[in-house]
Amino acid sequence: MSFIDNLLAGFATALAGPGILVMIGGVAWGIIGGAIPGISGAVAMALALPYTFGLDAATALVMLAGVWAGANYGGSIPAILMRMPGTPAAAAALLDGYELKRQGYASKALGISLICGTIGGLVSVIVLIAMVVPLGNAVLAFASPETFALALFGLTLIAGLTERSFLKGLAAGFFGLLLTTIGLDTLTGSLRFTFGRSEFLSGMDIVSVMVGLFAVSEMFYQLSHPAGRPPELEGNASTALPTLAELRSVGRATVVGTIVGIIVGIMPGAGATASSFVAYNEARRWSKRPDLFGKGSMEGVAAPETANNAVQGGDLVPTLALGIPGSNSAAIMLAALILHGIVPGPFLLTRHTGLVFTLFAGLIIVNLLMIPVGLVILRGCLAVLRLAPPVLVGSILAIVVIGTYAADLFILNPVLALVFGIIGYGMRIYGFSAAATVLGMVLGVLVESELRRSLLISLGSWSIFVTRPISAVLLVLTLGVLIYPAVMYAQTRRRARLVSAGGAAGTG
Amino acid sequence: MSRQSPGRALTILVVALVLMVFVARPASPQAADYPTRPITFVVGFAPGGGADVFARALADATKGILPQAIAVENRPGAGGTAANAYASGRPTDGYTILFAHAGSSIITPLITNQPGLKWDAFDPVARIHGEEEWLFVRPDAQWKTPEELVAFAKANPRRIRVAGSAIGGIDSFVVLTWDKAAGISTQYIPHEGGGPATLTFLGGNAEMLVGNVSEVFQHIEAKRMVPFLVASERRSSIFPNVPTMKEKGWDVVYAQWRSVLAPAGTPPSRIAALTVAFQKALASDSWKRFNGNAKAVDLYLGPLEFRQFLVNEEARLTRIIDELGLRRR
Amino acid sequence: MNSTVRRELVIAAFLIAFGGAVVAQARQIPPGVTTDPLGPAAFPSALGWGIAVCGLLLGAATLVFRGQSSGTTAVLADATPDDDASAEGGPFSPARLIGAIVATAAYLAAFTPLGYLLATPLYVVVVMLIHGGAGKRALLLAPLLVTAALYATFRYGLLIPVPAGILEGIVR
C-alpha cells in the first residue's frame, strides 16, 4: 500500500465507531485537565489511561493524543485569565497573556493561544508524518552537549525579561537555577540542600513555585493595593476573538514558535516548557515590536503557545521511530501501546503500519478538533471575567491551594506556593523579575545535568562543546546574542556623545 | 395528634432501627469487606517508565479478580523514594500499596541514609516478577569477548563509557560491582531513565549500555546493539549464547525484581487478600502476554518469603555498598 | 542619600549575604556515590558566587550613579522610586498584606484538622473582606459556591481525596 493509501485507511479507522466521540472527549478532557493547575498534560493523560483499556490500541492512542493536544492549550487558560499557569508549559504565555487580559483583551489572547497553537500542532504533526524515519535517525545526532547548548541559549532570555535592572534580573535567574539543585542529584547520588527533610528529596515542585511566584504574589499585590475601581476593566472586557488582521500580525511569531517547538521536541531532554520560553525569546528577537513584549504583545502569546503545541509532533519522532519517548507525555503513549500488547521500537512502523497510520490520522483530527472544542470552552471560561474582583481573588487563592495540594496530597506544595507568593511579592516590589526565576528553574535542570553529563561523555574534556557541530553553532549564537546588545549599546552611547558634543546641552 | 400517630411513630422507629443496624454495621476487618473502593498503587517513577508500565499491567491483570480496581498514582522523584515517603504517611487500611524494586526500596535509602524510606519501614506484600540485567555493546565493537573488553579496560582506565539510569538504581550497581569484581574502572554515565541512556548509547556517546532487554529488544533485532554479558545466576533463555558474569569469574548477580509493599501496620487479612489476587493475576492471559513481551519471569513470593528475601537482599547489597565505599555516614 | 539609593544598597547587601550563605552551604554538600568532573557542589557554588557578585556590582553601580536615571543605570542599577504605584492599584496597605499572608497560612494550617469543606469558605470570606468591595450577598454566596465547585471538581471529578477534618465520618 502506498503512503497515501495507508494514510487514508488510517483516517477511515480513526473516524470509525466511537472514534470521533472518543477524540472529542479526549481533547475536552485535555483542555480541562490542562487548565487545572497541578494537572499537567502528562498527568491528564495518565488519568485517562485506565479508560483506554476497554478500547483497542488505535483508539486508545488517538484519545491520548487528544488529551495531550488539549492540555497544551488548556494550560494557557488560567495563565491568561488568572496569571496562574495550568501547566508549566503555559508559564511563558502569562507574561503577555495576563497583560492582555488586564487591558481587556483576554478573549483575543485566549483565541490566539488556541488558533496559533492549533496551527503549530498541525504543522508539527504533518512534519512528523512526512519525515518520521529520517528525523528518527537525526535524533541520534542530538545528545547532552546539544541539549546543554540549547538550554544555555534559552537562558539568554533573561536579558529580555529584566526591565529595571539587568543585575537584579540576573540574580533572579541565578536564584531560579539554584532552586533546581535542591534534592537528590541523580548524577552522583548526593543530597543537596535538603536539610534532612525527606519532603525536599525530589526538589522544589515547579508548579507550586510558578503558581506562587506569579499567581499568589499577584493576589497579594491586589489585596494590599486596593484600588478605587477594579483595575481589570481598564479597557472594556472584550469577548471578541482575534481578527484575521491580528492573526496575520502574529504570523512571524507563529512560524518561529512552530520551528522552535518541532526542533526542541525532537531533542531529547528538552520539552514543552523549555520550548515555550525559547520561542518567546526568539519571537521577541525577530519581532518588529520587541518593546511590546511583556506589556501585552500578542506575539508574546502566539509564540510560546504555538511552540508548546508543536512539541507534540517533534516528541513523537523518537517515540515512534526508536521506541524511546521524547517526553513524559510521549511515554504514556508508549505505555498505552505496551499495555495493549504492542512492543514499541524501531519496528513499530513496519510491523504495525495500520496502527501507526491511524495514529497519524488521529493526530491530525484531534488538532483540528481543538478549534471547535477549544472555542466552546473558551466562551465558557470568559465567564470568569464577569466575577467581581473580590470573588475572583478569593477563588484564585482557593484554586491555588487545592490545585497544588492535589499533586502530592501533602500540605507542602500549598505551603511552597504561599512562601513563593511572599517571595514573589517581595521580588516585584524590589525590582526582581519573577519570570527570570521561573526561566532559571525551567532551564536550570537541563543546563546543569546536561553539562555534567556532557563532560562524562567527553571523559572530562571541555572541547566536546565545540567539536560537535550543532552544539558549537548554538554556543556561538549564545555568545553572539550576549555580545550584540553590548556592542549596540556602546555604539549608541558613542553616537549620543557625538551628538551632544556638537549640539545642544545634553542631560549629562 | 391523632389516634394513628403512636402506631405510625412506632413503625417509623422500628424501620429506622432496622435501617440503622444495616447501615451502621461496625466495619469488621474481614477480607469479605475489602476492597470496597479503589486501591491506590503508588509508583515512584514517571508515567510510561518501566515501573509505571509494570504497575499498570499488574493493575489491569487484577481486574475481575478484585471487586475494585487498582489505580496507579505516580509520585516520581528521588529515585523512587519520594513515593516511599508519601506512602508511609497514608492510612494503614489496605487502600494504599507501594511499588518497590531494589533501587527504590533498598539501595537509594541506604546510600542517602534515609532508613525511614527503606523496605523495612513497610509491610511486604509480594514480589511479582523480574528481569535480568544486561550489558550491551555495539555490533561493530572492537571487543568480541568479555575478556578482551576487560583487558582493554585495564589498560585504559575510565575510558569505556557505560550509559545507564540514575545512581542508586540497579543499573548503576551492576556496573559499579562489575568494575570492582573485574578490577577495572569504567566511566558510568547516569541518566534520568533507561530511555535517555539508550539514546546516548545509540548516538555513539557510550561504548556500553546497561539495562533490561525489554526496553531495547527491537534495537537488538535491528542489529544496533548486541547483548554482551548478563548479570544473573544462569544463562538467560532469551539469549542463551551470552555468558553470565558469574561464569567469567565475576560474582555479579542482580535482578531487576519488581514488587508491592504496603504501609506498615496494614491488616494481615487485607495483605492476604491482595496476595491471593496477585497470584491469580499472574495466571491471567493479559499478564502472561505482558510478561512475554517484557521478557520477564514471574518471581512470585508471598509476604513471609518476600520479607525473608528482602532481609537477605538488603544484607547482600549492604555488603556491596560497604565494599564499594558508598555508604553515607 | 535618598531613599532609592538606600533601598538599592540594602538589596545589594542582601544579595551578597544570600550568595555567601549559598556558597557556605554548598561546601557541605556530600560528594555522593560517583563523581563527575564538576561534582554536585560546583553548580550551586558558582550560582552563589554569581548572586553575590551581582549584589556587589549593584552596590557599586548604585554608589557610582547615586540614583540618577541614565542609560547605564537602567542596565545595571535601578533608579525607579520605591513601590511604583503608577503601575496599578491604589496605595499600599501593609495591614492588608499581612492579613492576606496570615489568612493563607491559617487556612493551610487548618486545612487538614478542620477539613476542606469548613476551612475553605472561611478562607474565601476572609480574603473577600480583606479585598473590600464585596456586597453582603456575595460574601455569603461566593465562598460556598467556590468551595462547592472546587470540591466537586477535585473530589468527584478527579477522585482526589481532600481532608474531611472534623467532618470525618459524615462526609465519607
Side-chain angles (χ1 to χ4, degrees), chain A residues 184 186 189, chain B residues 45 79 101-104 107-108 111 133 164-177 188 191 210 254 256 317, chain C residues 33:
Chain A
L184 178 70
T186 52
Chain B
F45 297 91
H101 60 24
S104 73
I107 300 177
T108 305
I111 63 177
E133 287 284 314
S165 54
I167 297 290
I170 275 280
D171 287 355
S172 60
F173 260 60
V174 168
V175 175
L176 289 172
T177 320
Y188 187 70
H191 296 75
V210 58
Y254 287 99
Q256 179 69 291
L317 289 169
Chain C
V33 161

PDB file of all heavy atoms in Angstrom, chain A residues 184 186 189, chain B residues 45 79 101-104 107-108 111 133 164-177 188 191 210 254 256 317, chain C residues 33:
ATOM      1  N   LEU A 184      17.814  15.239  45.460  1.00  0.00           N
ATOM      2  CA  LEU A 184      18.778  14.186  45.152  1.00  0.00           C
ATOM      3  C   LEU A 184      19.392  14.445  43.779  1.00  0.00           C
ATOM      4  O   LEU A 184      18.702  14.653  42.807  1.00  0.00           O
ATOM      5  CB  LEU A 184      18.072  12.823  45.175  1.00  0.00           C
ATOM      6  CG  LEU A 184      18.940  11.615  44.830  1.00  0.00           C
ATOM      7  CD1 LEU A 184      19.932  11.362  45.932  1.00  0.00           C
ATOM      8  CD2 LEU A 184      18.068  10.393  44.625  1.00  0.00           C
ATOM      9  N   THR A 186      20.895  13.099  40.674  1.00  0.00           N
ATOM     10  CA  THR A 186      20.888  11.775  40.050  1.00  0.00           C
ATOM     11  C   THR A 186      22.215  11.400  39.419  1.00  0.00           C
ATOM     12  O   THR A 186      22.430  10.256  39.045  1.00  0.00           O
ATOM     13  CB  THR A 186      19.817  11.665  38.955  1.00  0.00           C
ATOM     14  OG1 THR A 186      19.961  12.745  38.065  1.00  0.00           O
ATOM     15  CG2 THR A 186      18.428  11.637  39.554  1.00  0.00           C
ATOM     16  N   GLY A 189      24.204  10.805  43.307  1.00  0.00           N
ATOM     17  CA  GLY A 189      23.554  10.256  44.488  1.00  0.00           C
ATOM     18  C   GLY A 189      23.725  11.122  45.716  1.00  0.00           C
ATOM     19  O   GLY A 189      23.457  10.696  46.831  1.00  0.00           O
TER      20      GLY A 189
ATOM     21  N   PHE B  45       7.894   6.516  40.086  1.00  0.00           N
ATOM     22  CA  PHE B  45       8.550   6.856  38.828  1.00  0.00           C
ATOM     23  C   PHE B  45       7.520   7.422  37.856  1.00  0.00           C
ATOM     24  O   PHE B  45       6.333   7.235  38.007  1.00  0.00           O
ATOM     25  CB  PHE B  45       9.242   5.620  38.237  1.00  0.00           C
ATOM     26  CG  PHE B  45      10.330   5.092  39.121  1.00  0.00           C
ATOM     27  CD1 PHE B  45      10.055   4.127  40.073  1.00  0.00           C
ATOM     28  CD2 PHE B  45      11.625   5.593  39.028  1.00  0.00           C
ATOM     29  CE1 PHE B  45      11.051   3.664  40.924  1.00  0.00           C
ATOM     30  CE2 PHE B  45      12.622   5.126  39.866  1.00  0.00           C
ATOM     31  CZ  PHE B  45      12.343   4.166  40.820  1.00  0.00           C
ATOM     32  N   GLY B  79      14.728   8.945  42.953  1.00  0.00           N
ATOM     33  CA  GLY B  79      14.968   7.522  42.752  1.00  0.00           C
ATOM     34  C   GLY B  79      13.854   6.639  43.280  1.00  0.00           C
ATOM     35  O   GLY B  79      14.075   5.487  43.619  1.00  0.00           O
ATOM     36  N   HIS B 101      11.305  -1.649  44.013  1.00  0.00           N
ATOM     37  CA  HIS B 101      12.341  -2.524  43.490  1.00  0.00           C
ATOM     38  C   HIS B 101      13.611  -2.261  44.283  1.00  0.00           C
ATOM     39  O   HIS B 101      13.602  -1.437  45.208  1.00  0.00           O
ATOM     40  CB  HIS B 101      12.512  -2.405  41.973  1.00  0.00           C
ATOM     41  CG  HIS B 101      12.888  -1.046  41.455  1.00  0.00           C
ATOM     42  ND1 HIS B 101      13.523  -0.062  42.171  1.00  0.00           N
ATOM     43  CD2 HIS B 101      12.744  -0.522  40.205  1.00  0.00           C
ATOM     44  CE1 HIS B 101      13.717   0.990  41.414  1.00  0.00           C
ATOM     45  NE2 HIS B 101      13.266   0.744  40.217  1.00  0.00           N
ATOM     46  N   ALA B 102      14.669  -2.950  43.935  1.00  0.00           N
ATOM     47  CA  ALA B 102      15.876  -2.878  44.764  1.00  0.00           C
ATOM     48  C   ALA B 102      16.358  -1.446  44.898  1.00  0.00           C
ATOM     49  O   ALA B 102      16.768  -0.992  45.962  1.00  0.00           O
ATOM     50  CB  ALA B 102      16.970  -3.753  44.166  1.00  0.00           C
ATOM     51  N   GLY B 103      16.293  -0.700  43.798  1.00  0.00           N
ATOM     52  CA  GLY B 103      16.797   0.671  43.833  1.00  0.00           C
ATOM     53  C   GLY B 103      15.990   1.538  44.775  1.00  0.00           C
ATOM     54  O   GLY B 103      16.538   2.243  45.626  1.00  0.00           O
ATOM     55  N   SER B 104      14.659   1.504  44.631  1.00  0.00           N
ATOM     56  CA  SER B 104      13.846   2.448  45.395  1.00  0.00           C
ATOM     57  C   SER B 104      13.684   2.020  46.841  1.00  0.00           C
ATOM     58  O   SER B 104      13.479   2.860  47.711  1.00  0.00           O
ATOM     59  CB  SER B 104      12.465   2.598  44.754  1.00  0.00           C
ATOM     60  OG  SER B 104      11.680   1.435  44.988  1.00  0.00           O
ATOM     61  N   ILE B 107      18.570   0.282  47.894  1.00  0.00           N
ATOM     62  CA  ILE B 107      19.827   0.967  47.574  1.00  0.00           C
ATOM     63  C   ILE B 107      19.757   2.470  47.838  1.00  0.00           C
ATOM     64  O   ILE B 107      20.582   3.017  48.586  1.00  0.00           O
ATOM     65  CB  ILE B 107      20.231   0.712  46.113  1.00  0.00           C
ATOM     66  CG1 ILE B 107      20.407  -0.783  45.880  1.00  0.00           C
ATOM     67  CG2 ILE B 107      21.515   1.442  45.791  1.00  0.00           C
ATOM     68  CD1 ILE B 107      20.734  -1.133  44.452  1.00  0.00           C
ATOM     69  N   THR B 108      18.784   3.137  47.246  1.00  0.00           N
ATOM     70  CA  THR B 108      18.740   4.590  47.408  1.00  0.00           C
ATOM     71  C   THR B 108      18.549   4.995  48.860  1.00  0.00           C
ATOM     72  O   THR B 108      19.241   5.900  49.331  1.00  0.00           O
ATOM     73  CB  THR B 108      17.656   5.209  46.504  1.00  0.00           C
ATOM     74  OG1 THR B 108      17.886   4.810  45.158  1.00  0.00           O
ATOM     75  CG2 THR B 108      17.679   6.718  46.579  1.00  0.00           C
ATOM     76  N   ILE B 111      22.080   4.550  50.478  1.00  0.00           N
ATOM     77  CA  ILE B 111      23.164   5.468  50.142  1.00  0.00           C
ATOM     78  C   ILE B 111      22.814   6.916  50.451  1.00  0.00           C
ATOM     79  O   ILE B 111      23.690   7.766  50.527  1.00  0.00           O
ATOM     80  CB  ILE B 111      23.620   5.348  48.665  1.00  0.00           C
ATOM     81  CG1 ILE B 111      22.490   5.729  47.724  1.00  0.00           C
ATOM     82  CG2 ILE B 111      24.127   3.956  48.373  1.00  0.00           C
ATOM     83  CD1 ILE B 111      22.954   5.688  46.273  1.00  0.00           C
ATOM     84  N   GLU B 133      19.532  -8.185  34.258  1.00  0.00           N
ATOM     85  CA  GLU B 133      20.319  -7.007  33.914  1.00  0.00           C
ATOM     86  C   GLU B 133      21.390  -7.397  32.895  1.00  0.00           C
ATOM     87  O   GLU B 133      22.127  -8.356  33.105  1.00  0.00           O
ATOM     88  CB  GLU B 133      20.990  -6.437  35.164  1.00  0.00           C
ATOM     89  CG  GLU B 133      20.009  -5.739  36.106  1.00  0.00           C
ATOM     90  CD  GLU B 133      19.601  -4.374  35.578  1.00  0.00           C
ATOM     91  OE1 GLU B 133      20.477  -3.617  35.160  1.00  0.00           O
ATOM     92  OE2 GLU B 133      18.384  -4.088  35.577  1.00  0.00           O
ATOM     93  N   GLY B 164      23.634   4.315  31.597  1.00  0.00           N
ATOM     94  CA  GLY B 164      22.632   3.612  32.385  1.00  0.00           C
ATOM     95  C   GLY B 164      21.746   4.609  33.078  1.00  0.00           C
ATOM     96  O   GLY B 164      21.855   5.818  32.853  1.00  0.00           O
ATOM     97  N   SER B 165      20.870   4.115  33.951  1.00  0.00           N
ATOM     98  CA  SER B 165      19.961   5.041  34.605  1.00  0.00           C
ATOM     99  C   SER B 165      20.594   5.595  35.879  1.00  0.00           C
ATOM    100  O   SER B 165      21.777   5.449  36.118  1.00  0.00           O
ATOM    101  CB  SER B 165      18.627   4.355  34.886  1.00  0.00           C
ATOM    102  OG  SER B 165      18.822   3.175  35.603  1.00  0.00           O
ATOM    103  N   ALA B 166      19.778   6.235  36.707  1.00  0.00           N
ATOM    104  CA  ALA B 166      20.314   7.068  37.781  1.00  0.00           C
ATOM    105  C   ALA B 166      21.114   6.290  38.820  1.00  0.00           C
ATOM    106  O   ALA B 166      20.909   5.098  39.039  1.00  0.00           O
ATOM    107  CB  ALA B 166      19.174   7.802  38.481  1.00  0.00           C
ATOM    108  N   ILE B 167      21.997   7.025  39.477  1.00  0.00           N
ATOM    109  CA  ILE B 167      22.764   6.449  40.579  1.00  0.00           C
ATOM    110  C   ILE B 167      21.803   6.083  41.690  1.00  0.00           C
ATOM    111  O   ILE B 167      20.962   6.874  42.088  1.00  0.00           O
ATOM    112  CB  ILE B 167      23.789   7.474  41.110  1.00  0.00           C
ATOM    113  CG1 ILE B 167      24.795   7.814  40.017  1.00  0.00           C
ATOM    114  CG2 ILE B 167      24.508   6.943  42.329  1.00  0.00           C
ATOM    115  CD1 ILE B 167      25.739   6.702  39.689  1.00  0.00           C
ATOM    116  N   GLY B 168      21.966   4.903  42.229  1.00  0.00           N
ATOM    117  CA  GLY B 168      21.054   4.439  43.258  1.00  0.00           C
ATOM    118  C   GLY B 168      20.105   3.391  42.723  1.00  0.00           C
ATOM    119  O   GLY B 168      19.411   2.718  43.468  1.00  0.00           O
ATOM    120  N   GLY B 169      20.094   3.240  41.403  1.00  0.00           N
ATOM    121  CA  GLY B 169      19.285   2.192  40.790  1.00  0.00           C
ATOM    122  C   GLY B 169      20.131   0.965  40.523  1.00  0.00           C
ATOM    123  O   GLY B 169      21.354   0.995  40.601  1.00  0.00           O
ATOM    124  N   ILE B 170      19.445  -0.095  40.180  1.00  0.00           N
ATOM    125  CA  ILE B 170      20.136  -1.358  39.950  1.00  0.00           C
ATOM    126  C   ILE B 170      21.157  -1.255  38.823  1.00  0.00           C
ATOM    127  O   ILE B 170      22.258  -1.794  38.904  1.00  0.00           O
ATOM    128  CB  ILE B 170      19.101  -2.458  39.628  1.00  0.00           C
ATOM    129  CG1 ILE B 170      18.560  -3.050  40.916  1.00  0.00           C
ATOM    130  CG2 ILE B 170      19.686  -3.535  38.785  1.00  0.00           C
ATOM    131  CD1 ILE B 170      19.491  -4.068  41.553  1.00  0.00           C
ATOM    132  N   ASP B 171      20.826  -0.525  37.766  1.00  0.00           N
ATOM    133  CA  ASP B 171      21.750  -0.391  36.633  1.00  0.00           C
ATOM    134  C   ASP B 171      23.120   0.055  37.115  1.00  0.00           C
ATOM    135  O   ASP B 171      24.156  -0.512  36.752  1.00  0.00           O
ATOM    136  CB  ASP B 171      21.226   0.651  35.632  1.00  0.00           C
ATOM    137  CG  ASP B 171      20.034   0.140  34.848  1.00  0.00           C
ATOM    138  OD1 ASP B 171      19.675  -1.050  35.020  1.00  0.00           O
ATOM    139  OD2 ASP B 171      19.477   0.902  34.066  1.00  0.00           O
ATOM    140  N   SER B 172      23.107   1.126  37.914  1.00  0.00           N
ATOM    141  CA  SER B 172      24.379   1.682  38.362  1.00  0.00           C
ATOM    142  C   SER B 172      25.132   0.661  39.200  1.00  0.00           C
ATOM    143  O   SER B 172      26.361   0.553  39.124  1.00  0.00           O
ATOM    144  CB  SER B 172      24.144   2.962  39.159  1.00  0.00           C
ATOM    145  OG  SER B 172      23.338   2.710  40.296  1.00  0.00           O
ATOM    146  N   PHE B 173      24.401  -0.116  39.957  1.00  0.00           N
ATOM    147  CA  PHE B 173      25.065  -1.079  40.821  1.00  0.00           C
ATOM    148  C   PHE B 173      25.674  -2.228  40.049  1.00  0.00           C
ATOM    149  O   PHE B 173      26.728  -2.746  40.424  1.00  0.00           O
ATOM    150  CB  PHE B 173      24.084  -1.591  41.882  1.00  0.00           C
ATOM    151  CG  PHE B 173      24.301  -0.906  43.183  1.00  0.00           C
ATOM    152  CD1 PHE B 173      24.169   0.468  43.264  1.00  0.00           C
ATOM    153  CD2 PHE B 173      24.685  -1.600  44.287  1.00  0.00           C
ATOM    154  CE1 PHE B 173      24.417   1.121  44.443  1.00  0.00           C
ATOM    155  CE2 PHE B 173      24.926  -0.956  45.484  1.00  0.00           C
ATOM    156  CZ  PHE B 173      24.792   0.407  45.559  1.00  0.00           C
ATOM    157  N   VAL B 174      25.018  -2.623  39.002  1.00  0.00           N
ATOM    158  CA  VAL B 174      25.607  -3.677  38.173  1.00  0.00           C
ATOM    159  C   VAL B 174      26.991  -3.240  37.708  1.00  0.00           C
ATOM    160  O   VAL B 174      27.975  -3.978  37.814  1.00  0.00           O
ATOM    161  CB  VAL B 174      24.689  -3.963  36.960  1.00  0.00           C
ATOM    162  CG1 VAL B 174      25.419  -4.828  35.942  1.00  0.00           C
ATOM    163  CG2 VAL B 174      23.410  -4.633  37.410  1.00  0.00           C
ATOM    164  N   VAL B 175      27.062  -2.021  37.207  1.00  0.00           N
ATOM    165  CA  VAL B 175      28.328  -1.547  36.661  1.00  0.00           C
ATOM    166  C   VAL B 175      29.370  -1.340  37.755  1.00  0.00           C
ATOM    167  O   VAL B 175      30.537  -1.732  37.622  1.00  0.00           O
ATOM    168  CB  VAL B 175      28.100  -0.240  35.867  1.00  0.00           C
ATOM    169  CG1 VAL B 175      29.412   0.344  35.400  1.00  0.00           C
ATOM    170  CG2 VAL B 175      27.185  -0.509  34.694  1.00  0.00           C
ATOM    171  N   LEU B 176      28.948  -0.708  38.861  1.00  0.00           N
ATOM    172  CA  LEU B 176      29.915  -0.452  39.926  1.00  0.00           C
ATOM    173  C   LEU B 176      30.481  -1.766  40.489  1.00  0.00           C
ATOM    174  O   LEU B 176      31.682  -1.888  40.755  1.00  0.00           O
ATOM    175  CB  LEU B 176      29.247   0.347  41.052  1.00  0.00           C
ATOM    176  CG  LEU B 176      28.911   1.807  40.725  1.00  0.00           C
ATOM    177  CD1 LEU B 176      28.078   2.421  41.830  1.00  0.00           C
ATOM    178  CD2 LEU B 176      30.177   2.611  40.518  1.00  0.00           C
ATOM    179  N   THR B 177      29.591  -2.742  40.664  1.00  0.00           N
ATOM    180  CA  THR B 177      30.045  -4.018  41.208  1.00  0.00           C
ATOM    181  C   THR B 177      30.950  -4.750  40.218  1.00  0.00           C
ATOM    182  O   THR B 177      31.960  -5.348  40.609  1.00  0.00           O
ATOM    183  CB  THR B 177      28.843  -4.918  41.552  1.00  0.00           C
ATOM    184  OG1 THR B 177      27.829  -4.125  42.128  1.00  0.00           O
ATOM    185  CG2 THR B 177      29.248  -6.001  42.520  1.00  0.00           C
ATOM    186  N   TYR B 188      30.925   5.541  34.283  1.00  0.00           N
ATOM    187  CA  TYR B 188      29.466   5.378  34.251  1.00  0.00           C
ATOM    188  C   TYR B 188      28.813   6.716  33.964  1.00  0.00           C
ATOM    189  O   TYR B 188      29.184   7.739  34.532  1.00  0.00           O
ATOM    190  CB  TYR B 188      28.975   4.828  35.587  1.00  0.00           C
ATOM    191  CG  TYR B 188      27.508   4.459  35.587  1.00  0.00           C
ATOM    192  CD1 TYR B 188      27.067   3.357  34.847  1.00  0.00           C
ATOM    193  CD2 TYR B 188      26.575   5.193  36.284  1.00  0.00           C
ATOM    194  CE1 TYR B 188      25.728   3.011  34.833  1.00  0.00           C
ATOM    195  CE2 TYR B 188      25.245   4.849  36.274  1.00  0.00           C
ATOM    196  CZ  TYR B 188      24.819   3.756  35.547  1.00  0.00           C
ATOM    197  OH  TYR B 188      23.502   3.418  35.525  1.00  0.00           O
ATOM    198  N   HIS B 191      21.704   8.572  33.735  1.00  0.00           N
ATOM    199  CA  HIS B 191      20.640   9.317  33.066  1.00  0.00           C
ATOM    200  C   HIS B 191      19.380   9.249  33.911  1.00  0.00           C
ATOM    201  O   HIS B 191      19.321   8.539  34.894  1.00  0.00           O
ATOM    202  CB  HIS B 191      20.351   8.720  31.679  1.00  0.00           C
ATOM    203  CG  HIS B 191      21.479   8.816  30.719  1.00  0.00           C
ATOM    204  ND1 HIS B 191      22.587   8.015  30.784  1.00  0.00           N
ATOM    205  CD2 HIS B 191      21.669   9.630  29.654  1.00  0.00           C
ATOM    206  CE1 HIS B 191      23.413   8.316  29.812  1.00  0.00           C
ATOM    207  NE2 HIS B 191      22.888   9.293  29.107  1.00  0.00           N
ATOM    208  N   VAL B 210      23.788  -0.445  29.960  1.00  0.00           N
ATOM    209  CA  VAL B 210      23.340  -1.424  30.952  1.00  0.00           C
ATOM    210  C   VAL B 210      21.839  -1.263  31.105  1.00  0.00           C
ATOM    211  O   VAL B 210      21.327  -0.143  31.127  1.00  0.00           O
ATOM    212  CB  VAL B 210      24.067  -1.236  32.304  1.00  0.00           C
ATOM    213  CG1 VAL B 210      23.866   0.152  32.872  1.00  0.00           C
ATOM    214  CG2 VAL B 210      23.633  -2.287  33.299  1.00  0.00           C
ATOM    215  N   TYR B 254      22.488  -9.761  39.809  1.00  0.00           N
ATOM    216  CA  TYR B 254      21.414  -8.831  40.125  1.00  0.00           C
ATOM    217  C   TYR B 254      20.180  -9.210  39.336  1.00  0.00           C
ATOM    218  O   TYR B 254      20.274  -9.771  38.254  1.00  0.00           O
ATOM    219  CB  TYR B 254      21.787  -7.403  39.735  1.00  0.00           C
ATOM    220  CG  TYR B 254      22.795  -6.772  40.635  1.00  0.00           C
ATOM    221  CD1 TYR B 254      24.131  -6.729  40.276  1.00  0.00           C
ATOM    222  CD2 TYR B 254      22.423  -6.229  41.849  1.00  0.00           C
ATOM    223  CE1 TYR B 254      25.065  -6.145  41.101  1.00  0.00           C
ATOM    224  CE2 TYR B 254      23.343  -5.643  42.673  1.00  0.00           C
ATOM    225  CZ  TYR B 254      24.664  -5.600  42.301  1.00  0.00           C
ATOM    226  OH  TYR B 254      25.575  -5.019  43.113  1.00  0.00           O
ATOM    227  N   GLN B 256      16.401  -7.222  38.283  1.00  0.00           N
ATOM    228  CA  GLN B 256      15.503  -6.086  38.454  1.00  0.00           C
ATOM    229  C   GLN B 256      14.145  -6.652  38.841  1.00  0.00           C
ATOM    230  O   GLN B 256      13.265  -6.828  38.006  1.00  0.00           O
ATOM    231  CB  GLN B 256      15.421  -5.291  37.136  1.00  0.00           C
ATOM    232  CG  GLN B 256      14.486  -4.087  37.193  1.00  0.00           C
ATOM    233  CD  GLN B 256      14.992  -2.987  38.069  1.00  0.00           C
ATOM    234  OE1 GLN B 256      15.058  -3.118  39.299  1.00  0.00           O
ATOM    235  NE2 GLN B 256      15.344  -1.871  37.477  1.00  0.00           N
ATOM    236  N   LEU B 317      23.250  -6.373  49.522  1.00  0.00           N
ATOM    237  CA  LEU B 317      23.520  -5.077  48.933  1.00  0.00           C
ATOM    238  C   LEU B 317      24.303  -4.190  49.898  1.00  0.00           C
ATOM    239  O   LEU B 317      25.145  -3.397  49.479  1.00  0.00           O
ATOM    240  CB  LEU B 317      22.202  -4.399  48.527  1.00  0.00           C
ATOM    241  CG  LEU B 317      21.514  -5.052  47.329  1.00  0.00           C
ATOM    242  CD1 LEU B 317      20.107  -4.522  47.139  1.00  0.00           C
ATOM    243  CD2 LEU B 317      22.324  -4.815  46.065  1.00  0.00           C
TER     244      LEU B 317
ATOM    245  N   VAL C  33      27.990   9.113  45.536  1.00  0.00           N
ATOM    246  CA  VAL C  33      28.484   7.765  45.252  1.00  0.00           C
ATOM    247  C   VAL C  33      29.492   7.750  44.108  1.00  0.00           C
ATOM    248  O   VAL C  33      30.497   7.066  44.141  1.00  0.00           O
ATOM    249  CB  VAL C  33      27.267   6.868  44.924  1.00  0.00           C
ATOM    250  CG1 VAL C  33      27.699   5.630  44.194  1.00  0.00           C
ATOM    251  CG2 VAL C  33      26.519   6.534  46.175  1.00  0.00           C
TER     252      VAL C  33
END
